[in-house]
Amino acid sequence: MNALEITGLCKTYRGKRQKIVKALSSLDLTIAPGEIFGFLGPNGAGKSTTIKILMGLIQPTGGTAKIFGTPVINSASRQRLGYLPENPSFLDFMTAREYLAFVGRAFSMHKSDVKKETDRVLELLALEGAANRAIRHYSKGMIQRLGLAQVLLHDPDIYILDEPMSGLDPIGRALVKDILRDLKSRGKTVFFSTHITSDVEIICDRVGIIVNGNLMAVDHVQSILQSGIEGYVIQLVRDKMVTEEVFVEKERLKSFISDLSASDVEIERIEPKRKDIEKFFLDIVAKGEYVAVE
Amino acid sequence: MKLKAIFLILLISYGAVVVPFTDYLRNRPVAVKLGYTPDARILKIASADHCSLVAQLAIVKVLFYYGTIVEKFTKKIDLPVEHHNMFKTVNTALKLDPYNMDAYYFTQAAFTWEVGRVREVNAVLDYGMKYRTWDYYLPFFAGFNSAYFLKDYRKAAQYMKNAAELSGDPLFTKLAARYFYESGQNQLGILFLETMRKGSKDKKIQSMYEIREKALKAVSLLEDAVVRFERERKCRPSDLSELVAANILTEIPVDPYGGKFYLAEDGKVRTTSKFAFGGKEK
Amino acid sequence: MATFVNLLSANFRSILRDRIFLAILIVALLFFLLVPSFSLFSMRQVQELAVTLCLSTISLLLLLVSVLQGASSVWRDVEKRYTSSLLGLPVSRATFVVAKFAGIAVTLVCCTMLLGALALPAISISAAQYPSDIPIHWMNIIGAIGMDCLKYILLSAVALFLSTVSTSFFFPFFGSVAIFFAGSASQEVIEYISGDYGKSLTPAAKLVINIVYYLLPNFSAFNLKVAAIYGLPFPFKGALYTFLYFIVYTSILLCLSVWSFTRRELP
């Protein structure tokens, strides 16, 4: 069974003067269990709309979405799921500990488990010190970390995270990356949206790029990186003194090296020069047209 | 879909409940309907600078309630009347707004004839005269009450003199003069009622005065007949039916309050209804 | 069910930690201390005044709590984006709305019990100072307080419904206050037009007034204060009808609230 299955998902709004705005047009996407999927797109591309439909917060105009086979209309679809909203906000009269206890009960966790897991996630996200303070006194970064804590609390099988890195300082970002890697190693499914390409490059198995409500590309990060190699920068040392750099195109590498073996030039380093995800992403946004997937 | 089904069931239940529910409300005892008005001191604080509005609302409530009594009476429904509560409510309104003429007018109309709380009414009118210093109606009411009900002709003359001075109307002077005669009580009452009826715009008050006038005219007719009987036969009739037997009257008039006229021991004509709505029960 | 209770207790706790709520409650409690001395204002009916003061204080507190809490419920959770974190849990929208309502209702019941428990000694003390010729009918007083509580639970359901369609405080607040006044007066109006005055109305106007009468919640039915103050016989049959009416009307409002909230798009 797929962890996430989206078929033909559409969303149109009525904007000003009855103008129809297409926020999402016919989105198809499946995510297998154990996958880390990055959902990349510029601001206003439809990332949040998709996630809100997955969470049942807004209703799609057409199409269906299922989480582990349960339609998202049904609140039971969220039983095995952890959700972190974009710029989250939690019942701010509670303390972090109270809120986590509340979340634990919402997932029907056992009382002793709630206690144990609360301590674990609070420690993991470095919130122990503030655990007994009301959330309304938290800073933005602390709220974001609490958001991650409540996601991790009941150890769900699928994680839907809307911009998990936003509002975090570099230490927090590194922490989130560690957490995501850990989830990956434990075979959990993660679906997260971002507009930061480097995050995707480091963490994700696959990436989907959405522009203006259209899913433009879905591919494995590794194959994008592979196919993106344009050539190599070769550092040469001539006469053991002078160092020079040469750019060699991908196809010419072999012949270049064989040519070189005849001379007395030594190769000090060969570096692939490739299009990174950012380039890939920017190209797609610029082209604005559909790229064949998979 | 489940929600729609539940909603449908609820709508049907609403229909089923609302019929006996509204039925019950419509037939609730009137006392409950007038409701309770909090003490004037509390209301005065609570209503801040809307005292007159709150007072007027209380009056409207009483008038409205009173209207239902008159209506129920004409439909021959007997219900105990909460006079005490009405009087209290009107008083509260007057404490909030001592200038409210509706309240004085209503007090005079509702609590003298039927309820007989004349002294209380005059106290209210005295209170009003301190505020409505220009108004001749209040001394006129008080004067009438003193003469007609309390038989205090000296006081009545004072009140009427006040009314005459304030209004400049010779009618009051004439009225003042008439109070010195004990006879002609009924004529005086009828004259008063006519004046009051013409001065009112409220249909319910008008109809109340009409009923009262009718009763009074009947009493006047009967008492005149009794006097004629005494003159002709040199003795008192033992029963009103003798008046018909003696061909002085063709029939005994009907008491518009639903009671029966009878001849009291002091020679006055009275009625079992005591000239009050719902008076039969007492 | 466990989810419902969990949410309900969270909502209840949120009200208990609301400063405005606490301020109102404290003022009401202080007022009860003053009832025995205030009721001496009345010369002829100390006991009646004490009963009135207690019942009115309870009414006023419940009115404020039901309107303020009801009117600031659902739209505020949407605006503060609590809904996105709460509905991200396995919580259906129907559960969310009903738990919200139940939180307010439980608060109202607790307030009623607390103030009711204080009202009874306050009335006894006042009545002992100047015994009245009317005996105190404790059951009537308790009945009137209970009916009052039901009335304001119904009002909070009205406010909650309005808050599910609103995006600000003003509409549900003023809307529920207006409905409260209209619903308290509708019975008098309908009786007025069924009398003489009604004859001068066109049938169309009469029809409209009748429709409005049946649409509005009838709050005057819940008023049993006079029976409590003057010790009139307690209208058991009427109270039963009113209770049934309360159940049905409140359920309809909750249904509408769930329906409107389910259709709502959340940020």
Side-chain angles (χ1 to χ4, degrees):
Chain A
M1 193 192 295
N2 285 315
L4 191 63
E5 202 176 305
I6 299 173
T7 38
L9 209 59
C10 300
K11 179 70 194 175
T12 50
Y13 291 104
R14 282 208 179 276
K16 280 179 190 161
R17 294 192 204 120
Q18 297 296 301
K19 216 175 101 187
I20 292 171
V21 181
K22 264 194 167 177
L24 215 55
S25 42
S26 192
L27 182 77
D28 291 301
L29 188 64
T30 45
I31 292 169
E35 236 185 324
I36 309 284
F37 188 90
F39 203 40
L40 201 59
N43 292 330
K47 292 179 307 238
S48 280
T49 305
T50 311
I51 287 181
K52 279 175 199 159
I53 291 174
L54 291 178
M55 299 313 300
L57 293 173
I58 58 181
Q59 280 174 15
T61 324
T64 55
K66 287 177 185 171
I67 294 171
F68 289 117
T70 313
V72 293
I73 306 286
N74 188 343
S75 62
S77 69
R78 300 193 281 279
Q79 191 62 50
R80 291 167 67 188
L81 179 147
Y83 169 54
L84 174 68
E86 185 182 5
N87 299 324
S89 145
F90 305 104
L91 296 174
D92 66 3
F93 64 91
M94 288 188 181
T95 66
R97 204 173 279 283
E98 284 172 329
Y99 189 74
L100 290 173
F102 166 76
V103 171
R105 282 195 298 272
F107 284 106
S108 330
M109 284 169 76
H110 201 274
K111 220 173 180 177
S112 56
D113 289 345
V114 173
K115 177 84 189 61
K116 205 176 71 197
E117 291 300 302
T118 302
D119 289 336
R120 179 181 71 89
V121 294
L122 284 174
E123 195 195 329
L124 182 64
L125 288 145
L127 282 171
E128 309 110 305
N132 294 321
R133 254 195 284 157
I135 299 173
R136 74 165 70 93
H137 301 303
Y138 278 24
S139 71
K140 193 163 183 266
M142 286 164 86
I143 288 180
Q144 187 74 17
R145 274 184 284 157
L146 174 63
L148 285 160
Q150 57 97 31
V151 162
L152 297 169
L153 183 78
H154 68 294
D155 194 32
D157 297 319
I158 181 166
Y159 296 77
I160 294 184
L161 314 174
D162 201 348
E163 309 271 3
M165 311 282 193
S166 81
L168 291 177
D169 58 13
I171 306 166
R173 279 163 189 268
L175 183 64
V176 173
K177 282 173 199 163
D178 280 347
I179 289 170
L180 291 176
R181 276 194 207 98
D182 174 59
L183 292 177
K184 186 175 176 174
S185 72
R186 285 165 50 218
K188 305 286 185 181
T189 314
V190 179
F191 178 92
F192 78 95
S193 77
T194 183
H195 51 255
I196 301 164
T197 49
S198 61
D199 293 346
V200 173
E201 208 169 317
I202 302 165
I203 306 161
C204 292
D205 296 322
R206 276 202 305 159
V207 61
I209 294 176
I210 186 168
V211 180
N212 287 334
N214 291 303
L215 190 63
M216 306 297 275
V218 178
D219 208 345
H220 288 273
V221 171
Q222 279 314 311
S223 63
I224 293 172
L225 293 178
Q226 280 301 320
S227 68
I229 295 174
E230 291 166 326
Y232 301 87
V233 177
I234 301 175
Q235 212 171 52
L236 304 167
V237 181
R238 213 179 285 274
D239 304 333
K240 296 191 177 172
M241 294 287 290
V242 193
T243 312
E244 62 183 73
E245 262 182 17
V246 197
F247 177 74
V248 181
E249 278 158 38
K250 199 177 170 185
E251 304 79 45
R252 280 188 49 237
L253 182 68
K254 255 190 183 151
S255 57
F256 181 80
I257 291 176
S258 57
D259 288 352
L260 221 58
S261 57
S263 66
D264 58 344
V265 179
E266 277 177 42
I267 299 173
E268 185 147 295
R269 203 163 70 213
I270 302 178
E271 253 183 14
K273 183 162 166 57
R274 62 188 174 196
K275 235 160 86 173
D276 57 7
I277 298 280
E278 183 165 5
K279 193 85 195 314
F280 181 71
F281 172 62
L282 290 175
D283 281 354
I284 286 173
V285 174
K287 269 190 271 173
E289 63 188 37
Y290 195 80
V291 176
V293 289
E294 287 170 280
Chain B
M1 298 318 98
K2 220 165 70 186
L3 192 70
K4 269 187 192 160
I6 295 172
F7 189 67
L8 207 69
I9 292 168
L10 284 173
L11 274 190
I12 294 165
S13 339
Y14 180 73
V17 169
V18 85
V19 173
F21 174 69
T22 50
D23 213 45
Y24 150 73
L25 284 176
R26 266 168 222 198
N27 296 315
R28 261 202 307 192
V30 266
V32 179
K33 278 188 193 161
L34 181 54
Y36 179 75
T37 316
D39 194 271
R41 274 160 295 221
I42 293 159
L43 266 186
K44 197 156 193 167
I45 296 164
S47 57
D49 51 353
H50 301 288
C51 273
S52 349
L53 180 68
V54 174
Q56 191 60 46
L57 284 178
I59 301 288
V60 167
K61 199 161 94 173
V62 172
L63 278 176
F64 186 68
Y65 164 77
Y66 193 73
T68 60
I69 304 173
V70 176
E71 220 162 75
K72 292 230 161 72
F73 169 75
T74 47
K75 284 181 198 153
K76 308 244 180 279
I77 302 169
D78 268 332
L79 282 170
V81 180
E82 262 284 302
H83 283 118
H84 175 69
N85 198 359
M86 279 202 286
F87 190 71
K88 232 185 108 258
T89 310
V90 173
N91 254 336
T92 304
L94 280 174
K95 275 180 196 148
L96 290 178
D97 178 8
Y99 295 94
N100 193 313
M101 186 54 201
D102 278 357
Y104 295 115
Y105 191 89
F106 180 77
T107 310
Q108 172 65 18
F111 302 112
T112 48
W113 300 89
E114 287 148 33
V115 196
R117 306 283 289 263
V118 180
R119 281 176 208 286
E120 281 95 331
V121 171
N122 266 12
V124 170
L125 293 171
D126 281 337
Y127 167 81
M129 279 178 235
K130 280 188 273 180
Y131 295 93
R132 296 181 64 91
T133 48
W134 65 90
D135 193 337
Y136 62 86
Y137 267 102
L138 300 182
F140 169 51
F141 293 165
F144 174 77
N145 291 343
S146 299
Y148 189 80
F149 297 108
L150 302 174
K151 318 272 188 248
D152 183 347
Y153 301 109
R154 213 164 57 83
K155 201 102 192 250
Q158 266 170 21
Y159 280 130
M160 284 302 174
K161 210 174 130 237
N162 269 349
E165 276 166 12
L166 286 170
S167 70
D169 190 331
L171 172 72
F172 294 108
T173 337
K174 239 181 355 194
L175 276 175
R178 294 187 75 156
Y179 282 115
F180 292 101
Y181 303 99
E182 197 172 339
S183 60
Q185 284 276 305
N186 290 328
Q187 294 306 318
L188 175 65
I190 292 165
L191 196 69
F192 173 80
L193 290 171
E194 259 173 24
T195 322
M196 291 289 277
R197 181 161 57 83
K198 282 170 192 155
S200 169
K201 277 185 203 124
D202 192 301
K203 266 193 196 158
K204 276 158 194 159
I205 300 282
Q206 273 182 3
S207 77
M208 189 214 82
Y209 276 127
E210 249 166 71
I211 293 170
R212 164 70 52 193
E213 219 178 301
K214 229 174 170 176
L216 217 54
K217 278 181 177 158
V219 172
S220 171
L221 185 75
L222 285 168
E223 285 188 350
D224 284 352
V226 172
V227 171
R228 236 180 92 191
F229 187 94
E230 281 175 348
R231 240 192 350 247
E232 284 174 13
R233 311 252 170 130
K234 305 286 176 221
C235 73
R236 253 201 213 172
S238 59
D239 195 275
L240 287 180
S241 56
E242 279 182 39
L243 297 172
V244 182
N247 275 331
I248 294 172
L249 286 177
T250 50
E251 59 177 347
I252 305 288
V254 182
D255 176 9
Y257 288 94
K260 250 186 98 170
F261 289 113
Y262 66 93
L263 197 59
E265 280 171 17
D266 59 359
K268 297 264 182 202
V269 174
R270 298 190 193 277
T271 163
T272 52
S273 72
K274 290 175 185 157
F275 300 119
F277 299 121
K280 265 193 296 185
E281 283 180 342
K282 287 166 200 159
Chain C
M1 196 61 203
T3 321
F4 174 75
V5 174
N6 191 22
L7 267 176
L8 164 59
S9 85
N11 290 331
F12 183 56
R13 272 185 289 167
S14 114
I15 297 174
L16 288 192
R17 293 187 197 179
D18 182 359
R19 281 188 203 147
I20 297 173
F21 168 76
L22 289 176
I24 297 171
L25 189 63
I26 288 168
V27 169
L29 292 178
L30 287 177
F31 192 76
F32 269 101
L33 292 178
L34 299 175
V35 164
S37 46
F38 265 144
S39 41
L40 286 176
F41 276 143
S42 173
M43 280 162 287
R44 268 191 291 175
Q45 37 178 9
V46 174
Q47 174 193 312
E48 287 86 337
L49 185 60
V51 177
T52 316
L53 284 175
C54 288
L55 293 184
S56 296
T57 310
I58 295 176
S59 269
L60 191 64
L61 173 98
L62 294 181
L63 172 67
L64 287 174
V65 172
S66 59
V67 170
L68 288 177
Q69 292 300 331
S72 64
S73 57
V74 176
W75 72 267
R76 195 166 132 270
D77 288 5
V78 174
E79 174 150 309
K80 285 199 165 182
R81 284 182 296 109
Y82 292 158
T83 42
S84 53
S85 56
L86 292 176
L87 295 173
L89 307 171
V91 171
S92 73
R93 295 213 186 175
T95 312
F96 178 84
V97 171
V98 178
K100 200 85 209 166
F101 165 73
I104 301 170
V106 168
T107 312
L108 289 172
V109 170
C110 289
C111 286
T112 310
M113 291 204 288
L114 175 67
L115 294 184
L118 288 172
L120 303 186
I123 292 169
S124 319
I125 294 169
S126 310
Q129 291 172 329
Y130 196 100
S132 162
D133 45 351
I134 307 172
I136 305 178
H137 289 68
W138 290 112
M139 285 320 290
N140 283 9
I141 292 173
I142 292 168
I145 293 175
M147 273 295 170
D148 235 24
C149 182
L150 293 186
K151 169 159 85 173
Y152 292 108
I153 291 176
L154 176 57
L155 180 63
S156 74
V158 172
L160 181 97
F161 168 62
L162 295 180
S163 83
T164 60
V165 293
S166 169
T167 52
S168 80
F169 180 69
F170 297 101
F171 174 61
F173 179 75
F174 290 109
S176 51
V177 168
I179 288 177
F180 177 69
F181 283 114
S184 303
S186 65
Q187 187 64 34
E188 285 194 29
V189 171
I190 205 79
E191 272 162 32
Y192 193 63
I193 67 152
S194 61
D196 265 350
Y197 178 71
K199 285 171 197 144
S200 60
L201 284 177
T202 63
K206 254 186 171 170
L207 185 70
V208 169
I209 292 174
N210 259 300
I211 290 172
V212 170
Y213 170 72
Y214 285 107
L215 278 182
L216 282 176
N218 194 323
F219 289 117
S220 61
F222 295 86
N223 190 348
L224 297 181
K225 291 199 179 78
V226 179
I229 296 165
Y230 293 108
L232 304 177
F234 191 79
F236 283 105
K237 204 171 128 203
L240 177 69
Y241 283 140
T242 310
F243 181 70
L244 290 177
Y245 175 80
F246 160 79
I247 298 278
V248 173
Y249 204 104
T250 310
S251 312
I252 288 178
L253 281 172
L254 282 182
C255 245
L256 289 174
S257 307
V258 168
W259 175 76
S260 108
F261 186 62
T262 314
R263 289 166 51 93
R264 191 159 175 168
E265 312 244 294
L266 300 172

